[in-house]
Amino acid sequence: MSSAVEAAISCSKVDVPAAPEPEEAATAKAKNAAAEHGGDAANGKCGEAPPPPHCHEDEEDEEEAPKVIDLGPRVSIKDQLEKDKDDESLRRWKEQLLGGVDLNSVGETLEPDVKIMSLSILSPGRPDIFLPLPVEPNAKGVWFTLKEGSPYRLKFTFSVSNNIVSGLRYTNTVWKTGLKVDRAKEMLGTFSPQLEPYTYVTPEDTTPSGMFARGSYSARTKFLDDDRKCYLEINYTFDIRREWPSTS
C-alpha cells in the first residue's frame, strides 16, 4: 500500500480518546504520525499523491553532454615508441600495433586525422548502394531508397593518419514526420595510422515493414572519437518503399 493511500486512511479515521491526553503526549503522538506518513498528515496534505520519480535525461541529450573523463595528455607516436624502448617485448608489441607507420610524417603529430572515404549499403541479392561523398551541404532530394522488410548492412571505408584514433564510433538518428523513430550507435574501435584504408561492416539489420513504415525519413549520421571530435556529419533524407527502385 502506498504512503499516500495510508495517509488518506489515517486522516479519515476519527479516534475518540477515553480521556484528554497530556499535552506532551499529544505532541509526541503528532510527531510520530507525521514521521510515519512523510509529514503529510501534520501539514494538512491528506490524500495528496507523492511527487513523480526523477526522469532520466534523453539518450540524445546524454550523447551531447557526456561526463568528461580525463585520460591524460595525448602522446605522439614517436613518443610512444620512445617510452619503454628498453623493453623488447613492449617495443615489438607497439610496432605490431602501429604497423608500417612512416614516423617521418607522423612522429610528432598529436591529433589523429580520420577521413571517411565511402559509405555503402549491402543487401543480399541486390547491387551494393554506394552513397556519394562528400555530400553537398545544401543537397535536396532522396539520398537512397530501401525496400521494406529487407536485411541490410552498412559498410564504411576510412583512412587514419597522424596518430592513433581511440574509440571511433558511428551514430545515426532517424526522424519521420518530425518524430524521432530510431537511434543507433556502433563502436568501430581504435585504429592506428596506416597507408591502406580500413573497412568496417556493421551487423545485419532489417528495415521496418508495413503501411506505417513506408514513406520518407530524415536522418543525421556522425563519426566521432573518444574526444568527441567529429570527422563527418551528414544530414540527408531516404525512403522506405514497397519495392526496390529500378536499377535500369
Side-chain angles (χ1 to χ4, degrees):
M1 182 180 293
S2 68
S3 60
V5 175
E6 291 177 359
I9 295 175
S10 176
C11 291
S12 61
K13 186 186 299 182
V14 179
D15 294 326
V16 180
E21 294 182 334
E23 184 178 352
E24 293 181 358
T27 302
K29 185 175 182 180
K31 289 183 179 180
N32 292 336
E36 181 181 357
H37 300 302
D40 287 348
N43 295 325
K45 297 181 179 180
C46 298
E48 288 189 7
H54 176 69
C55 297
H56 295 287
E57 292 184 357
D58 183 75
E59 184 180 7
E60 188 169 9
D61 294 335
E62 294 178 354
E63 178 72 13
E64 295 299 327
K67 295 181 179 178
V68 177
I69 301 176
D70 185 9
L71 299 178
R74 189 186 294 276
V75 179
S76 70
I77 291 179
K78 183 177 180 179
D79 290 338
Q80 286 281 7
L81 291 177
E82 288 293 328
K83 290 172 59 178
D84 306 316
K85 63 181 179 180
D86 296 332
D87 189 325
E88 182 67 17
S89 61
L90 186 58
R91 183 184 62 82
R92 289 182 178 181
W93 177 81
K94 289 180 179 180
E95 289 179 350
Q96 183 179 7
L97 172 66
L98 296 173
V101 176
D102 183 5
L103 295 181
N104 294 324
S105 61
V106 302
E108 300 293 343
T109 305
L110 296 181
E111 293 296 326
D113 185 25
V114 178
K115 289 183 172 61
I116 311 301
M117 304 173 66
S118 70
L119 303 175
S120 55
I121 302 174
L122 317 179
S123 186
R126 293 287 303 177
D128 294 350
I129 303 174
F130 292 95
L131 306 177
L133 291 176
V135 179
E136 298 180 11
N138 299 318
K140 296 182 179 180
V142 175
W143 207 21
F144 57 87
T145 299
L146 301 175
K147 179 184 176 182
E148 63 175 341
S150 297
Y152 71 94
R153 292 178 296 164
L154 303 178
K155 180 180 178 181
F156 314 129
T157 61
F158 55 94
S159 64
V160 179
S161 58
N162 293 348
N163 207 335
I164 297 171
V165 60
S166 176
L168 184 65
R169 64 187 184 275
Y170 149 88
T171 68
N172 190 57
T173 307
V174 181
W175 295 267
K176 191 173 192 287
T177 62
L179 298 176
K180 185 169 68 174
V181 295
D182 186 55
R183 179 169 176 80
K185 290 191 290 186
E186 182 75 18
M187 177 60 70
L188 308 187
T190 296
F191 303 90
S192 63
Q194 67 176 29
L195 297 177
E196 296 298 322
Y198 289 95
T199 298
Y200 186 93
V201 180
T202 65
E204 188 174 273
D205 202 349
T206 304
T207 58
S209 60
M211 180 177 64
F212 295 105
R214 301 180 205 124
S216 295
Y217 295 78
S218 59
R220 178 186 297 124
T221 292
K222 293 182 181 181
F223 288 85
L224 310 162
D225 66 10
D226 275 346
D227 294 330
R228 294 193 56 76
K229 181 179 179 181
C230 185
Y231 298 101
L232 179 67
E233 178 177 348
I234 50 178
N235 297 277
Y236 57 94
T237 60
F238 68 95
D239 283 353
I240 293 180
R241 299 299 179 191
R242 189 186 298 271
E243 298 294 340
W244 289 102
S246 174
T247 57
S248 59

